[in-house]
Amino acid sequence: MDVRLERLSKSFGTNLVLKSLDLTFPERKFVTLLGPSGCGKTTLLRLIAGLERASDGQIFFGERRVDHLTPGERNIAMVFQSYALYPTMDVAANIGYGLKVRGIPRPERTEKVGVVARVLEIAHLLARKPRALSGGQRQRVALGRAMARKPDIFLMDEPLSNLDAKLRATMRGELKRFHLDLETTSIYVTHDQLEAMTMSDLVAVMDQGIVQQYATPEEVYDRPANLFVAGFIGSPPMNFAEVEVERADGAPVLRLAGRTIPAPAQFDLAAAPRRLVLGIRPQDVRMAAIGEPRAIPGTVWMTELIGSERLIEVEIAPKLRITAEVKSEIRAELNAPAAVAFDAAKLHLFDPGTGRALPRRA
Amino acid sequence: MRFRLSDRQVGILFMLPFLITAATFIVWPVAEAIRLAFYQYNPLRPHDQFWVGLDNFERILDDPLFWESFHQALVWTGWSILFQTVLGVGMAMLLHTALPGIAVFRGLLLFPYIVPTVVIALNWRWIFNSEIGIVNHALLRLGVISENIAWLATPDMAMASAIVLNVWKYTPFVIICVLARLQTIPTELYDAAKVDGAGAMRRFLDITLPMLKEVLVVVIVFRTIWTFNKFEEIYLLTRGGPGTSTFNLAVYAFEEGMANLRLGVAAATGVIMIVLLLVGTIVYVRVSGFGREEKPA
Ligand SMILES: Nc1ncnc2c1ncn2[C@@H]1O[C@H](COP(=O)(O)OP(=O)(O)O)[C@@H](O)[C@H]1O
Ligand SMILES: [Mg+2]
């Protein structure tokens, strides 16, 4: 079942948290709401769940408008950030609670709980209370609670954020697998771009109550729609620098730190303003030999080893530094002269006035 | 030479003031009361006290007034605790909501609890006064009753009035304990239950009540002990009357000791009360499963 939001707004008092969102979550897809803390992700999820009322706008599950329905009537399942397991009930009762509330008789309930517990490999924990479980086990119980009910929509609010790094990596795969088995529409909230990029069919990047871009992970990474998305997605973050558009023999060129670089062919600069913001990912910057044509010279300002890669920050003009992510074998002396180079095809260009990416040629 | 105290000695030193106070004001009086329970002792003739074995206890168990007082003590305690608990939980839930202006009521909560019992009891005597009391006046004006009710002069009404006073004074204690616990229950639990389809009643029965269980066990034990032993509220409001109809064991012991000058009998009554409460508390705590922890993984 797909989920459709139309002009959905929510405010708490005078604090406008969600600003007229239009968004469709396609049936059986795994969609992630990604954005910094406080951007309204949880609020949006709670609206879909029916735990909050929208200030304005409409929510549809399939063709059915659900705004007036209670959470219990929407046939959703939700995994909370804190898991929200019922502390006074044992694991079996936690998983079976939704069934019990719906009046499923005990034998049937016990059987369903057993099936779920076997799938999640927590059958040996059924008699335990939540406080006697580890973080990963609690997580599975929370999933089991969702799974037992066969929901139409599966909502998750940062379900991995309380786990340690290693467990988080394993659980990412399990969650995705779980989504495929459940054959539901999943909506997943996170502030972690790695989770969003690895698990999602579609990513909605949110900031300040507005969806900044809604696309596949590849699209969001390769063609960020605006400066916010470009800066938020990718680690280390994209380099930004102000450039000016000039015309040399009719063909447009960019002036960066006193150098001239050819304008990237993928952008249509016809209607572009004179000043632009250029973006280039550290992964797309390489260290060049000094004196190499088209390379931009500077001095090494800082280096950092991050495992198999090394980050080299080169100052190419006062206060303007470009970070390159290169193989760790490549070394650089602090304050030594160096040069960076990049492929024009990898450049991103933004209008500093609107923050939007320049239109790309078809 | 300098003194050097070990950690252990320092610890004992810090505990000493409390131990001395406890010994003086708790252990010694209780021990003395237990001793007296086996003696005949008239406070006007303090020097001829003599050992009587279990005579005091036999005398008490043969005394119809003791059994009447015991029965009334159960009525008094049972209804008081029932109303305090139900009202306390209900009002705590109300105060826990985010209704506007509710903070004022939270502030007023301690009021009945801090006003001295004497002041309250005397006030209530006026309030319940059958001729000039506000209760009768109000009920008459509202047409609920057609003639004055003798609140404190008929046995059942006197007992009911005493219970109302006790409930009024001590419900705030229950509210505060329950409210403190309510505030520690994560709201996400209720959200999860809503998603699971549970309505308000189910959420109360399946989440709130089980989480209140431990605090309620403690509150009920303490309130039962205090109410069962309560003396001044009843005595100041009704003096145990009319007749002996609002005697509880504390009033009974007081009458035996002070009016009839049989301190040994009064002490024996006290011992019986201690035993009753001790046994009752142990059974109750056992049955309710308080503090039963399961072993972590
Ligand atoms: N119940 C509430 N009352 C008032 N403000 C709220 C409430 N819930 C959330 N907010 C506000 O809404 C904004 C978005 O919150 P939230 O949706 O939790 O963000 P996120 O999940 O993206 O971190 C925050 O500024 C937060 O203070
Ligand atoms: Mg959140």
Side-chain angles (χ1 to χ4, degrees):
Chain A
M1 191 177 292
D2 67 345
V3 177
R4 205 147 40 82
L5 313 179
E6 290 184 3
R7 293 186 297 90
L8 196 68
S9 297
K10 174 71 185 174
S11 43
F12 293 105
T14 56
N15 181 8
L16 192 52
V17 175
L18 295 176
K19 300 164 190 165
S20 193
L21 298 191
D22 286 293
L23 208 56
T24 300
F25 303 89
E27 182 158 8
R28 294 198 186 178
K29 294 288 189 218
F30 193 106
V31 181
T32 299
L33 303 174
L34 174 66
S37 206
C39 73
K41 307 179 296 289
T42 298
T43 304
L44 179 52
L45 207 64
R46 291 173 62 85
L47 283 174
I48 297 171
L51 293 168
E52 303 276 359
R53 297 257 154 218
S55 311
D56 198 10
Q58 309 180 344
I59 303 172
F60 294 90
F61 287 2
E63 287 312 306
R64 192 167 61 130
R65 193 168 167 197
V66 297
D67 298 68
H68 57 286
L69 298 182
T70 63
E73 293 163 341
R74 297 189 185 194
N75 197 24
I76 48 167
M78 186 156 172
V79 174
F80 294 83
Q81 188 167 355
S82 63
Y83 310 139
L85 302 181
Y86 309 121
T88 53
M89 303 181 200
D90 62 19
V91 168
N94 261 283
I95 296 175
Y97 187 66
L99 302 172
K100 181 175 163 194
V101 169
R102 282 170 172 75
I104 311 274
R106 183 184 282 275
E108 195 181 332
R109 220 158 67 211
T110 313
E111 193 196 314
K112 283 193 173 167
V113 169
V115 171
V116 169
R118 269 194 298 284
V119 171
L120 291 172
E121 298 170 9
I122 49 174
H124 59 296
L125 303 174
L126 283 176
R128 293 245 189 107
K129 290 274 172 65
R131 69 165 168 270
L133 301 177
S134 70
Q137 290 168 337
R138 283 178 205 187
Q139 165 78 291
R140 280 160 191 267
V141 177
L143 288 176
R145 194 161 60 177
M147 207 167 158
R149 291 232 329 271
K150 299 244 179 300
D152 292 331
I153 321 279
F154 187 30
L155 308 173
M156 290 168 273
D157 190 0
E158 314 222 12
L160 303 185
S161 59
N162 288 336
L163 302 180
D164 60 60
K166 193 164 160 239
L167 195 54
R168 210 180 300 168
T170 350
M171 287 308 288
R172 279 207 306 267
E174 291 203 12
L175 272 181
K176 189 66 197 283
R177 182 73 236 166
F178 185 68
H179 157 78
L180 294 173
D181 291 344
L182 217 54
E183 301 188 320
T184 55
T185 308
S186 295
I187 306 178
Y188 185 94
V189 162
T190 184
H191 64 267
D192 182 324
Q193 47 168 309
L194 186 63
E195 285 172 22
M197 299 309 257
T198 51
M199 300 165 73
S200 324
D201 297 313
L202 288 168
V203 180
V205 185
M206 288 179 63
D207 187 41
Q208 312 218 332
I210 290 172
V211 174
Q212 305 285 336
Q213 186 170 8
Y214 185 38
T216 62
E218 294 81 6
E219 177 94 4
V220 165
Y221 186 84
D222 292 336
R223 299 172 170 217
N226 57 35
L227 277 170
F228 174 80
V229 177
F232 189 74
I233 306 282
S235 169
M238 187 183 276
N239 296 294
F240 293 113
E242 280 203 2
V243 293
E244 280 179 33
V245 185
E246 285 180 1
R247 310 239 157 221
D249 314 329
V253 293
L254 303 177
R255 298 278 300 171
L256 169 63
R259 301 263 155 173
T260 303
I261 52 176
Q266 68 270 32
F267 288 101
D268 182 0
L269 292 182
R274 230 173 75 79
R275 286 174 176 280
L276 291 177
V277 173
L278 168 149
I280 180 83
R281 294 201 184 278
Q283 292 81 1
D284 296 331
V285 179
R286 64 184 172 84
M287 300 303 292
I290 299 163
E292 187 183 311
R294 298 239 174 111
I296 301 168
T299 53
V300 176
W301 193 79
M302 177 55 87
T303 74
E304 264 178 291
L305 182 66
I306 49 164
S308 63
E309 267 79 43
R310 188 186 297 278
L311 302 182
I312 303 178
E313 258 184 279
V314 178
E315 193 162 65
I316 58 172
K319 299 258 179 257
L320 179 56
R321 299 180 201 115
I322 299 282
T323 303
E325 185 177 315
V326 295
K327 286 273 160 239
S328 61
E329 300 89 73
I330 300 176
R331 288 170 190 279
E333 288 279 316
L334 276 190
N335 298 324
V340 291
F342 36 73
D343 183 354
K346 300 285 190 183
L347 286 180
H348 304 267
L349 286 178
F350 303 93
D351 179 339
T354 61
R356 279 211 279 275
L358 292 196
R360 289 173 187 259
R361 290 184 208 279
Chain B
M1 200 184 95
R2 280 178 56 196
F3 272 112
R4 269 204 148 298
L5 296 175
S6 70
D7 284 356
R8 194 187 156 77
Q9 286 165 325
V10 172
I12 291 174
L13 218 56
F14 270 115
M15 279 163 59
L16 219 51
F18 170 74
L19 290 178
I20 291 172
T21 316
T24 316
F25 294 106
I26 300 174
V27 179
W28 184 72
V30 170
E32 187 62 11
I34 294 175
R35 186 186 68 82
L36 267 185
F38 299 94
Y39 281 78
Q40 183 172 341
Y41 178 45
N42 180 337
L44 296 183
R45 278 184 244 115
H47 294 295
D48 48 313
Q49 39 174 295
F50 45 93
W51 172 265
V52 293
L54 292 174
D55 279 7
N56 288 335
F57 292 93
E58 272 174 34
R59 184 197 172 90
I60 290 171
L61 296 181
D62 283 341
D63 183 356
L65 183 55
F66 168 81
W67 291 107
E68 190 192 329
S69 304
F70 178 52
H71 175 249
Q72 280 155 195
L74 292 183
V75 170
W76 149 258
T77 309
W79 287 109
S80 294
I81 301 305
L82 179 70
F83 282 117
Q84 278 167 31
T85 309
V86 172
L87 272 178
V89 171
M91 289 178 68
M93 304 225 351
L94 200 64
L95 289 173
H96 186 51
T97 59
L99 295 177
I102 210 91
V104 178
F105 290 97
R106 263 181 237 150
L108 285 175
L109 205 59
L110 274 175
F111 182 72
Y113 196 57
I114 52 181
V115 180
T117 309
V118 181
V119 176
I120 296 176
L122 292 179
N123 267 308
W124 279 65
R125 277 174 75 155
W126 286 112
I127 291 172
F128 282 125
N129 186 297
S130 59
E131 301 301 325
I132 54 171
I134 184 105
V135 177
N136 274 345
H137 182 69
L139 292 178
L140 275 176
R141 287 292 288 270
L142 289 173
V144 178
I145 55 175
S146 56
E147 58 186 274
N148 283 333
I149 294 181
W151 293 106
L152 299 173
T154 56
D156 286 349
M157 284 300 180
M159 177 59 90
S161 303
I163 290 171
V164 169
L165 168 59
N166 186 279
V167 169
W168 180 80
K169 184 160 162 55
Y170 293 102
T171 299
F173 173 80
V174 181
I175 297 177
I176 286 169
C177 294
V178 172
L179 191 57
R181 182 70 179 106
L182 281 179
Q183 285 168 346
T184 65
I185 303 179
T187 50
E188 278 198 342
L189 289 184
Y190 295 103
D191 290 339
K194 283 181 200 168
V195 169
D196 271 337
M201 197 61 198
R202 271 219 103 105
R203 293 200 296 272
F204 174 73
L205 292 176
D206 290 342
I207 297 175
T208 312
L209 213 49
M211 299 210 48
L212 289 180
K213 191 173 124 187
E214 302 216 324
V215 75
L216 284 181
V217 170
V218 173
V219 164
I220 288 173
V221 165
F222 276 92
R223 288 303 316 141
T224 302
I225 293 173
W226 291 336
T227 307
F228 192 77
N229 289 340
K230 205 76 204 169
F231 168 72
E232 69 269 31
E233 275 158 28
I234 293 184
Y235 199 76
L236 290 171
L237 191 68
T238 68
R239 297 201 182 279
T244 53
S245 62
T246 51
F247 267 49
N248 67 359
L249 290 183
V251 176
Y252 174 81
F254 178 82
E255 286 290 317
E256 282 293 305
M258 295 299 149
N260 304 335
L261 296 177
R262 290 192 282 261
L263 269 190
V265 175
T269 310
V271 170
I272 291 175
M273 288 164 74
I274 292 177
V275 172
L276 284 173
L277 288 172
L278 212 58
V279 171
T281 303
I282 291 171
V283 169
Y284 178 68
V285 169
R286 275 285 155 82
V287 168
S288 67
F290 177 74
R292 214 177 278 154
E293 280 287 321
E294 70 186 88
K295 304 229 168 13

